[in-house]
PDB file of all heavy atoms in Angstrom:
ATOM      1  N   GLU A 198      10.265  14.490   8.515  1.00 97.00           N
ATOM      2  CA  GLU A 198       9.221  15.192   9.193  1.00 97.00           C
ATOM      3  C   GLU A 198       9.728  16.484   9.812  1.00 97.00           C
ATOM      4  O   GLU A 198      10.609  16.424  10.616  1.00 97.00           O
ATOM      5  CB  GLU A 198       8.526  14.323  10.113  1.00 97.00           C
ATOM      6  CG  GLU A 198       7.368  14.973  11.009  1.00 97.00           C
ATOM      7  CD  GLU A 198       6.224  15.450  10.158  1.00 97.00           C
ATOM      8  OE1 GLU A 198       5.397  14.649   9.851  1.00 97.00           O
ATOM      9  OE2 GLU A 198       6.240  16.548   9.975  1.00 97.00           O
ATOM     10  N   ASP A 199       9.103  17.550   9.296  1.00 96.00           N
ATOM     11  CA  ASP A 199       9.590  18.935   9.969  1.00 96.00           C
ATOM     12  C   ASP A 199       8.974  19.169  11.237  1.00 96.00           C
ATOM     13  O   ASP A 199       9.457  20.041  11.962  1.00 96.00           O
ATOM     14  CB  ASP A 199       9.385  20.002   8.842  1.00 96.00           C
ATOM     15  CG  ASP A 199       7.996  20.137   8.495  1.00 96.00           C
ATOM     16  OD1 ASP A 199       7.222  19.155   8.168  1.00 96.00           O
ATOM     17  OD2 ASP A 199       7.247  21.254   8.569  1.00 96.00           O
ATOM     18  N   ASP A 200       7.901  18.571  11.582  1.00 95.00           N
ATOM     19  CA  ASP A 200       7.067  18.841  12.768  1.00 95.00           C
ATOM     20  C   ASP A 200       7.837  18.026  13.880  1.00 95.00           C
ATOM     21  O   ASP A 200       7.721  16.734  13.926  1.00 95.00           O
ATOM     22  CB  ASP A 200       5.708  18.412  12.584  1.00 95.00           C
ATOM     23  CG  ASP A 200       4.779  18.777  13.826  1.00 95.00           C
ATOM     24  OD1 ASP A 200       5.387  18.679  15.012  1.00 95.00           O
ATOM     25  OD2 ASP A 200       3.784  19.342  13.621  1.00 95.00           O
ATOM     26  N   ASP A 242       7.154  12.783   5.175  1.00 97.00           N
ATOM     27  CA  ASP A 242       6.062  13.755   5.159  1.00 97.00           C
ATOM     28  C   ASP A 242       5.991  14.591   3.889  1.00 97.00           C
ATOM     29  O   ASP A 242       7.147  14.942   3.458  1.00 97.00           O
ATOM     30  CB  ASP A 242       6.172  14.674   6.394  1.00 97.00           C
ATOM     31  CG  ASP A 242       5.131  15.781   6.581  1.00 97.00           C
ATOM     32  OD1 ASP A 242       4.079  15.552   6.190  1.00 97.00           O
ATOM     33  OD2 ASP A 242       5.545  16.968   6.928  1.00 97.00           O
ATOM     34  N   LEU A 243       4.796  14.761   3.334  1.00 96.00           N
ATOM     35  CA  LEU A 243       4.943  15.297   1.904  1.00 96.00           C
ATOM     36  C   LEU A 243       5.024  16.917   2.049  1.00 96.00           C
ATOM     37  O   LEU A 243       5.439  17.590   1.216  1.00 96.00           O
ATOM     38  CB  LEU A 243       3.642  15.072   1.131  1.00 96.00           C
ATOM     39  CG  LEU A 243       3.672  13.648   0.592  1.00 96.00           C
ATOM     40  CD1 LEU A 243       2.372  13.367  -0.157  1.00 96.00           C
ATOM     41  CD2 LEU A 243       4.679  13.392  -0.257  1.00 96.00           C
ATOM     42  N   GLY A 244       4.627  17.457   3.285  1.00 94.00           N
ATOM     43  CA  GLY A 244       4.707  19.030   3.459  1.00 94.00           C
ATOM     44  C   GLY A 244       5.961  19.298   4.122  1.00 94.00           C
ATOM     45  O   GLY A 244       5.955  19.383   5.425  1.00 94.00           O
ATOM     46  N   LEU A 245       7.022  19.652   3.343  1.00 96.00           N
ATOM     47  CA  LEU A 245       8.343  19.887   3.893  1.00 96.00           C
ATOM     48  C   LEU A 245       8.724  21.375   3.644  1.00 96.00           C
ATOM     49  O   LEU A 245       8.309  22.023   2.732  1.00 96.00           O
ATOM     50  CB  LEU A 245       9.380  18.909   3.307  1.00 96.00           C
ATOM     51  CG  LEU A 245       9.200  17.440   3.702  1.00 96.00           C
ATOM     52  CD1 LEU A 245      10.270  16.600   2.706  1.00 96.00           C
ATOM     53  CD2 LEU A 245       9.478  17.268   5.107  1.00 96.00           C
ATOM     54  N   PRO A 246       9.645  21.888   4.468  1.00 96.00           N
ATOM     55  CA  PRO A 246       9.902  23.278   4.343  1.00 96.00           C
ATOM     56  C   PRO A 246      10.745  23.736   3.117  1.00 96.00           C
ATOM     57  O   PRO A 246      10.634  24.734   2.644  1.00 96.00           O
ATOM     58  CB  PRO A 246      10.626  23.612   5.661  1.00 96.00           C
ATOM     59  CG  PRO A 246      11.191  22.402   6.141  1.00 96.00           C
ATOM     60  CD  PRO A 246      10.280  21.330   5.736  1.00 96.00           C
ATOM     61  N   LYS A 291      -2.572  12.085   8.274  1.00 92.00           N
ATOM     62  CA  LYS A 291      -2.500  12.656   9.699  1.00 92.00           C
ATOM     63  C   LYS A 291      -3.883  13.031  10.153  1.00 92.00           C
ATOM     64  O   LYS A 291      -4.705  13.569   9.392  1.00 92.00           O
ATOM     65  CB  LYS A 291      -1.843  13.980   9.620  1.00 92.00           C
ATOM     66  CG  LYS A 291      -0.257  13.795   9.523  1.00 92.00           C
ATOM     67  CD  LYS A 291       0.455  15.107   9.631  1.00 92.00           C
ATOM     68  CE  LYS A 291       1.946  14.990   9.330  1.00 92.00           C
ATOM     69  NZ  LYS A 291       2.595  16.360   9.367  1.00 92.00           N
TER      70      LYS A 291
HETATM   71 CA1   CA B 551       5.105  19.061   7.488  1.00 66.91          CA
END
Side-chain angles (χ1 to χ4, degrees):
E198 169 63 79
D199 57 313
D200 186 317
D242 180 33
L243 289 177
L245 294 171
K291 281 182 187 172

